[in-house]
Short mmCIF file of all heavy atoms in Angstrom, two decimals:
data_model
loop_
_atom_site.label_atom_id
_atom_site.label_comp_id
_atom_site.label_asym_id
_atom_site.label_seq_id
_atom_site.Cartn_x
_atom_site.Cartn_y
_atom_site.Cartn_z
N GLN A 1 0.84 -1.18 0.00
CA GLN A 1 0.00 0.00 0.00
C GLN A 1 0.88 1.24 0.00
O GLN A 1 1.68 1.45 0.93
CB GLN A 1 -0.93 0.02 1.21
CG GLN A 1 -1.95 1.14 1.18
CD GLN A 1 -3.04 0.98 2.22
OE1 GLN A 1 -2.90 0.24 3.19
NE2 GLN A 1 -4.16 1.65 2.01
N ALA A 2 0.74 2.01 -1.05
CA ALA A 2 1.45 3.28 -1.16
C ALA A 2 0.55 4.40 -0.65
O ALA A 2 -0.69 4.26 -0.69
CB ALA A 2 1.85 3.53 -2.61
N PRO A 3 1.12 5.51 -0.21
CA PRO A 3 0.30 6.62 0.29
C PRO A 3 -0.72 7.08 -0.74
O PRO A 3 -0.37 7.31 -1.91
CB PRO A 3 1.33 7.71 0.58
CG PRO A 3 2.59 6.97 0.85
CD PRO A 3 2.55 5.78 -0.07
N GLY A 4 -1.98 7.17 -0.33
CA GLY A 4 -3.03 7.63 -1.23
C GLY A 4 -3.60 6.56 -2.15
O GLY A 4 -4.48 6.86 -2.96
N TYR A 5 -3.10 5.35 -2.01
CA TYR A 5 -3.56 4.25 -2.86
C TYR A 5 -4.15 3.13 -2.01
O TYR A 5 -3.84 2.99 -0.82
CB TYR A 5 -2.41 3.69 -3.70
CG TYR A 5 -1.94 4.62 -4.78
CD1 TYR A 5 -1.02 5.63 -4.51
CD2 TYR A 5 -2.41 4.49 -6.09
CE1 TYR A 5 -0.60 6.50 -5.51
CE2 TYR A 5 -1.98 5.34 -7.10
CZ TYR A 5 -1.07 6.34 -6.79
OH TYR A 5 -0.66 7.20 -7.78
N GLN A 6 -4.98 2.30 -2.65
CA GLN A 6 -5.52 1.14 -1.96
C GLN A 6 -4.47 0.04 -1.85
O GLN A 6 -3.52 -0.01 -2.65
CB GLN A 6 -6.74 0.61 -2.72
CG GLN A 6 -7.97 1.51 -2.63
CD GLN A 6 -9.22 0.85 -3.20
OE1 GLN A 6 -9.12 -0.02 -4.07
NE2 GLN A 6 -10.37 1.22 -2.71
N ARG A 7 -4.65 -0.82 -0.88
CA ARG A 7 -3.77 -1.96 -0.74
C ARG A 7 -3.98 -2.89 -1.95
O ARG A 7 -5.12 -3.15 -2.34
CB ARG A 7 -4.07 -2.70 0.56
CG ARG A 7 -3.03 -3.71 0.95
CD ARG A 7 -3.28 -4.24 2.35
NE ARG A 7 -3.19 -3.21 3.37
CZ ARG A 7 -3.22 -3.46 4.67
NH1 ARG A 7 -3.34 -4.71 5.11
NH2 ARG A 7 -3.13 -2.47 5.53
N GLU A 8 -2.88 -3.37 -2.51
CA GLU A 8 -2.98 -4.21 -3.70
C GLU A 8 -2.19 -5.49 -3.53
O GLU A 8 -1.16 -5.52 -2.84
CB GLU A 8 -2.48 -3.47 -4.94
CG GLU A 8 -1.02 -3.08 -4.90
CD GLU A 8 -0.52 -2.46 -6.19
OE1 GLU A 8 -1.30 -2.34 -7.16
OE2 GLU A 8 0.67 -2.10 -6.23
N LEU A 9 -2.66 -6.53 -4.19
CA LEU A 9 -1.97 -7.82 -4.16
C LEU A 9 -0.72 -7.75 -5.04
O LEU A 9 -0.78 -7.33 -6.19
CB LEU A 9 -2.90 -8.92 -4.67
CG LEU A 9 -2.30 -10.30 -4.85
CD1 LEU A 9 -1.84 -10.87 -3.52
CD2 LEU A 9 -3.31 -11.23 -5.52
N VAL A 10 0.38 -8.19 -4.49
CA VAL A 10 1.64 -8.25 -5.23
C VAL A 10 1.91 -9.66 -5.73
O VAL A 10 2.19 -9.88 -6.90
CB VAL A 10 2.81 -7.77 -4.34
CG1 VAL A 10 4.14 -7.95 -5.05
CG2 VAL A 10 2.60 -6.32 -3.91
N ALA A 11 1.81 -10.62 -4.82
CA ALA A 11 2.08 -12.01 -5.18
C ALA A 11 1.43 -12.90 -4.13
O ALA A 11 1.26 -12.49 -2.98
CB ALA A 11 3.57 -12.29 -5.24
N ARG A 12 1.10 -14.13 -4.52
CA ARG A 12 0.57 -15.08 -3.56
C ARG A 12 1.04 -16.48 -3.91
O ARG A 12 1.37 -16.77 -5.07
CB ARG A 12 -0.95 -15.03 -3.48
CG ARG A 12 -1.68 -15.44 -4.73
CD ARG A 12 -3.18 -15.59 -4.48
NE ARG A 12 -3.87 -15.91 -5.71
CZ ARG A 12 -4.77 -15.10 -6.28
NH1 ARG A 12 -5.07 -13.93 -5.72
NH2 ARG A 12 -5.37 -15.45 -7.38
N ILE A 13 1.08 -17.31 -2.91
CA ILE A 13 1.49 -18.70 -3.09
C ILE A 13 0.56 -19.56 -2.25
O ILE A 13 0.33 -19.29 -1.07
CB ILE A 13 2.97 -18.91 -2.71
CG1 ILE A 13 3.41 -20.34 -2.97
CG2 ILE A 13 3.26 -18.49 -1.27
CD1 ILE A 13 4.94 -20.53 -2.91
N THR A 14 0.01 -20.59 -2.87
CA THR A 14 -0.94 -21.45 -2.17
C THR A 14 -0.21 -22.55 -1.40
O THR A 14 1.01 -22.72 -1.51
CB THR A 14 -1.92 -22.09 -3.16
OG1 THR A 14 -1.21 -23.04 -3.97
CG2 THR A 14 -2.57 -21.05 -4.05
N THR A 15 -0.99 -23.31 -0.66
CA THR A 15 -0.40 -24.44 0.07
C THR A 15 0.19 -25.46 -0.89
O THR A 15 1.16 -26.15 -0.55
CB THR A 15 -1.45 -25.11 0.96
OG1 THR A 15 -2.56 -25.53 0.14
CG2 THR A 15 -1.98 -24.15 2.02
N GLY A 16 -0.36 -25.55 -2.09
CA GLY A 16 0.13 -26.49 -3.08
C GLY A 16 1.25 -25.95 -3.94
O GLY A 16 1.75 -26.67 -4.82
N GLY A 17 1.62 -24.68 -3.71
CA GLY A 17 2.73 -24.10 -4.46
C GLY A 17 2.34 -23.33 -5.70
O GLY A 17 3.21 -22.87 -6.45
N SER A 18 1.05 -23.17 -5.95
CA SER A 18 0.64 -22.35 -7.09
C SER A 18 0.94 -20.89 -6.79
O SER A 18 0.71 -20.42 -5.68
CB SER A 18 -0.86 -22.53 -7.37
OG SER A 18 -1.13 -23.86 -7.76
N ILE A 19 1.42 -20.18 -7.80
CA ILE A 19 1.91 -18.82 -7.62
C ILE A 19 1.23 -17.87 -8.59
O ILE A 19 0.98 -18.22 -9.76
CB ILE A 19 3.44 -18.77 -7.80
CG1 ILE A 19 4.13 -19.48 -6.63
CG2 ILE A 19 3.93 -17.33 -7.92
CD1 ILE A 19 5.62 -19.62 -6.78
N TYR A 20 0.94 -16.68 -8.08
CA TYR A 20 0.39 -15.59 -8.89
C TYR A 20 1.19 -14.34 -8.63
O TYR A 20 1.60 -14.07 -7.50
CB TYR A 20 -1.07 -15.34 -8.52
CG TYR A 20 -1.60 -14.02 -9.03
CD1 TYR A 20 -2.11 -13.92 -10.32
CD2 TYR A 20 -1.54 -12.88 -8.25
CE1 TYR A 20 -2.57 -12.70 -10.79
CE2 TYR A 20 -1.99 -11.67 -8.71
CZ TYR A 20 -2.51 -11.58 -9.98
OH TYR A 20 -2.96 -10.37 -10.46
N TYR A 21 1.43 -13.57 -9.71
CA TYR A 21 2.09 -12.27 -9.59
C TYR A 21 1.24 -11.20 -10.25
O TYR A 21 0.65 -11.42 -11.32
CB TYR A 21 3.46 -12.26 -10.26
CG TYR A 21 4.48 -13.17 -9.62
CD1 TYR A 21 4.81 -14.39 -10.21
CD2 TYR A 21 5.11 -12.81 -8.44
CE1 TYR A 21 5.74 -15.22 -9.64
CE2 TYR A 21 6.05 -13.65 -7.85
CZ TYR A 21 6.35 -14.86 -8.46
OH TYR A 21 7.28 -15.69 -7.88
N ALA A 22 1.23 -10.03 -9.65
CA ALA A 22 0.65 -8.88 -10.33
C ALA A 22 1.51 -8.54 -11.55
O ALA A 22 2.73 -8.76 -11.54
CB ALA A 22 0.60 -7.68 -9.39
N ASP A 23 0.88 -8.03 -12.58
CA ASP A 23 1.62 -7.72 -13.82
C ASP A 23 2.77 -6.76 -13.56
O ASP A 23 3.82 -6.85 -14.19
CB ASP A 23 0.67 -7.12 -14.86
CG ASP A 23 -0.26 -8.15 -15.46
OD1 ASP A 23 0.02 -9.36 -15.33
OD2 ASP A 23 -1.27 -7.75 -16.07
N SER A 24 2.59 -5.86 -12.62
CA SER A 24 3.59 -4.83 -12.36
C SER A 24 4.88 -5.37 -11.78
O SER A 24 5.91 -4.68 -11.80
CB SER A 24 3.01 -3.76 -11.42
OG SER A 24 2.60 -4.35 -10.20
N VAL A 25 4.86 -6.60 -11.25
CA VAL A 25 6.07 -7.14 -10.62
C VAL A 25 6.56 -8.42 -11.29
O VAL A 25 7.59 -8.97 -10.88
CB VAL A 25 5.84 -7.39 -9.11
CG1 VAL A 25 5.33 -6.13 -8.42
CG2 VAL A 25 4.90 -8.56 -8.88
N LYS A 26 5.84 -8.90 -12.28
CA LYS A 26 6.26 -10.12 -12.98
C LYS A 26 7.67 -9.97 -13.51
O LYS A 26 8.05 -8.91 -14.02
CB LYS A 26 5.29 -10.42 -14.12
CG LYS A 26 4.08 -11.21 -13.72
CD LYS A 26 3.18 -11.49 -14.94
CE LYS A 26 1.92 -12.20 -14.52
NZ LYS A 26 0.99 -12.40 -15.66
N ASP A 27 8.43 -11.04 -13.40
CA ASP A 27 9.82 -11.11 -13.87
C ASP A 27 10.78 -10.30 -13.02
O ASP A 27 11.98 -10.25 -13.32
CB ASP A 27 9.93 -10.66 -15.34
CG ASP A 27 9.09 -11.50 -16.27
OD1 ASP A 27 9.01 -12.73 -16.04
OD2 ASP A 27 8.51 -10.94 -17.21
N ARG A 28 10.29 -9.65 -11.97
CA ARG A 28 11.17 -8.91 -11.05
C ARG A 28 11.10 -9.45 -9.63
O ARG A 28 12.11 -9.45 -8.92
CB ARG A 28 10.80 -7.43 -11.04
CG ARG A 28 10.95 -6.74 -12.38
CD ARG A 28 10.81 -5.21 -12.24
NE ARG A 28 9.49 -4.83 -11.72
CZ ARG A 28 9.32 -4.09 -10.62
NH1 ARG A 28 10.36 -3.68 -9.92
NH2 ARG A 28 8.10 -3.77 -10.22
N PHE A 29 9.92 -9.88 -9.22
CA PHE A 29 9.72 -10.36 -7.86
C PHE A 29 9.52 -11.88 -7.87
O PHE A 29 8.95 -12.43 -8.82
CB PHE A 29 8.48 -9.73 -7.23
CG PHE A 29 8.61 -8.26 -6.91
CD1 PHE A 29 9.67 -7.49 -7.36
CD2 PHE A 29 7.64 -7.64 -6.13
CE1 PHE A 29 9.78 -6.14 -7.05
CE2 PHE A 29 7.72 -6.30 -5.80
CZ PHE A 29 8.79 -5.54 -6.28
N THR A 30 9.94 -12.53 -6.78
CA THR A 30 9.75 -13.97 -6.63
C THR A 30 9.24 -14.27 -5.23
O THR A 30 9.88 -13.88 -4.24
CB THR A 30 11.05 -14.73 -6.88
OG1 THR A 30 11.56 -14.43 -8.18
CG2 THR A 30 10.82 -16.23 -6.77
N ILE A 31 8.12 -14.95 -5.16
CA ILE A 31 7.58 -15.38 -3.87
C ILE A 31 7.94 -16.84 -3.65
O ILE A 31 7.96 -17.64 -4.60
CB ILE A 31 6.04 -15.17 -3.81
CG1 ILE A 31 5.52 -15.40 -2.38
CG2 ILE A 31 5.32 -16.05 -4.82
CD1 ILE A 31 4.05 -15.00 -2.19
N SER A 32 8.25 -17.17 -2.40
CA SER A 32 8.56 -18.56 -2.07
C SER A 32 8.18 -18.79 -0.62
O SER A 32 7.96 -17.85 0.14
CB SER A 32 10.04 -18.86 -2.30
OG SER A 32 10.86 -18.05 -1.49
N ARG A 33 8.12 -20.05 -0.24
CA ARG A 33 7.78 -20.38 1.13
C ARG A 33 8.64 -21.54 1.62
O ARG A 33 9.02 -22.42 0.82
CB ARG A 33 6.29 -20.72 1.28
CG ARG A 33 5.83 -21.97 0.56
CD ARG A 33 4.30 -22.09 0.59
NE ARG A 33 3.79 -22.21 1.95
CZ ARG A 33 2.53 -21.95 2.30
NH1 ARG A 33 1.66 -21.54 1.38
NH2 ARG A 33 2.14 -22.10 3.55
N ASP A 34 8.93 -21.55 2.90
CA ASP A 34 9.66 -22.62 3.54
C ASP A 34 8.81 -23.09 4.71
O ASP A 34 8.80 -22.46 5.78
CB ASP A 34 11.03 -22.13 4.01
CG ASP A 34 11.90 -23.24 4.56
OD1 ASP A 34 11.36 -24.27 4.99
OD2 ASP A 34 13.13 -23.07 4.58
N ASN A 35 8.09 -24.17 4.52
CA ASN A 35 7.18 -24.63 5.57
C ASN A 35 7.93 -25.10 6.81
O ASN A 35 7.39 -25.04 7.92
CB ASN A 35 6.28 -25.75 5.03
CG ASN A 35 5.26 -25.24 4.03
OD1 ASN A 35 4.96 -24.04 3.97
ND2 ASN A 35 4.74 -26.15 3.22
N ALA A 36 9.15 -25.56 6.65
CA ALA A 36 9.93 -25.99 7.81
C ALA A 36 10.30 -24.82 8.71
O ALA A 36 10.50 -24.99 9.92
CB ALA A 36 11.20 -26.72 7.36
N LYS A 37 10.39 -23.63 8.11
CA LYS A 37 10.74 -22.43 8.86
C LYS A 37 9.54 -21.53 9.11
O LYS A 37 9.69 -20.43 9.66
CB LYS A 37 11.83 -21.64 8.13
CG LYS A 37 13.14 -22.38 8.02
CD LYS A 37 14.21 -21.53 7.35
CE LYS A 37 15.54 -22.25 7.29
NZ LYS A 37 16.58 -21.45 6.63
N ASN A 38 8.35 -21.98 8.69
CA ASN A 38 7.13 -21.16 8.87
C ASN A 38 7.32 -19.76 8.30
O ASN A 38 6.91 -18.76 8.92
CB ASN A 38 6.76 -21.05 10.36
CG ASN A 38 6.08 -22.29 10.89
OD1 ASN A 38 6.03 -23.32 10.21
ND2 ASN A 38 5.59 -22.22 12.10
N THR A 39 7.93 -19.68 7.13
CA THR A 39 8.29 -18.37 6.58
C THR A 39 7.96 -18.30 5.09
O THR A 39 8.17 -19.27 4.36
CB THR A 39 9.78 -18.08 6.79
OG1 THR A 39 10.07 -18.13 8.19
CG2 THR A 39 10.16 -16.70 6.26
N VAL A 40 7.48 -17.14 4.69
CA VAL A 40 7.29 -16.85 3.27
C VAL A 40 8.19 -15.66 2.92
O VAL A 40 8.40 -14.77 3.74
CB VAL A 40 5.80 -16.55 2.94
CG1 VAL A 40 5.31 -15.32 3.67
CG2 VAL A 40 5.59 -16.42 1.45
N TYR A 41 8.72 -15.69 1.72
CA TYR A 41 9.69 -14.69 1.28
C TYR A 41 9.18 -13.96 0.04
O TYR A 41 8.39 -14.50 -0.74
CB TYR A 41 11.03 -15.34 0.94
CG TYR A 41 11.62 -16.14 2.06
CD1 TYR A 41 11.45 -17.53 2.11
CD2 TYR A 41 12.35 -15.53 3.07
CE1 TYR A 41 12.00 -18.28 3.14
CE2 TYR A 41 12.91 -16.28 4.10
CZ TYR A 41 12.72 -17.65 4.13
OH TYR A 41 13.27 -18.39 5.15
#
């Protein structure tokens, strides 16, 4: 969420590993998760 703007989805990852990226960040951002560490990056 940037000042004056609504909160927007950047990326998401499901429990099964399916991934979605907003067009504005495709090819620049990478989402990942480590279930052993209870962490998403």
Side-chain angles (χ1 to χ4, degrees):
Q1 187 168 19
Y5 290 84
Q6 289 189 334
R7 193 171 296 188
E8 63 175 358
L9 174 64
V10 175
R12 65 170 176 245
I13 183 167
T14 69
T15 57
S18 296
I19 290 174
Y20 165 85
Y21 294 104
D23 286 343
S24 58
V25 306
K26 274 181 184 176
D27 300 323
R28 298 190 299 123
F29 290 11
T30 303
I31 189 171
S32 61
R33 65 189 298 160
D34 186 336
N35 290 341
K37 295 183 178 179
N38 282 9
T39 302
V40 63
Y41 303 98

